[in-house]
Amino acid sequence: MRPVDRPDWTPELVEKEVRRACEEYGTKYYIPCITQGLGISTFPGVYETASEAIEKVSKEMFK
């Protein structure tokens, strides 16, 4: 199971993991995906929340 695609997920958990991954792996050659590797998730809302968090963090990192 992925770090955030789990039954007890929260928007805060998703954003925290997105931020950690983006900061740790940097801005070169990394495409973040923390659900299934596709446009899906096991638990409803995780993929959409992850996409929103990735967009938010990307705007901060690529000012």
Side-chain angles (χ1 to χ4, degrees), residues 17-40:
E17 181 60 19
V18 165
R19 189 170 300 282
R20 181 206 61 78
C22 289
E23 289 174 353
E24 184 176 322
Y25 300 126
T27 59
K28 305 276 191 266
Y29 313 109
Y30 172 63
I31 301 172
C33 182
I34 54 176
T35 58
Q36 299 286 336
L38 299 171
I40 60 173

Side-chain angles (χ1 to χ4, degrees), residues 8-23:
D8 64 339
W9 75 274
T10 64
E12 295 80 17
L13 174 68
V14 171
E15 184 172 336
K16 181 180 177 182
E17 181 60 19
V18 165
R19 189 170 300 282
R20 181 206 61 78
C22 289
E23 289 174 353

Side-chain angles (χ1 to χ4, degrees), residues 42-62:
T42 302
F43 299 96
V46 175
Y47 178 79
E48 293 79 11
T49 302
S51 294
E52 291 170 7
I54 290 167
E55 183 175 341
K56 178 181 177 180
V57 173
S58 292
K59 285 180 181 178
E60 293 171 12
M61 292 181 75
F62 295 103

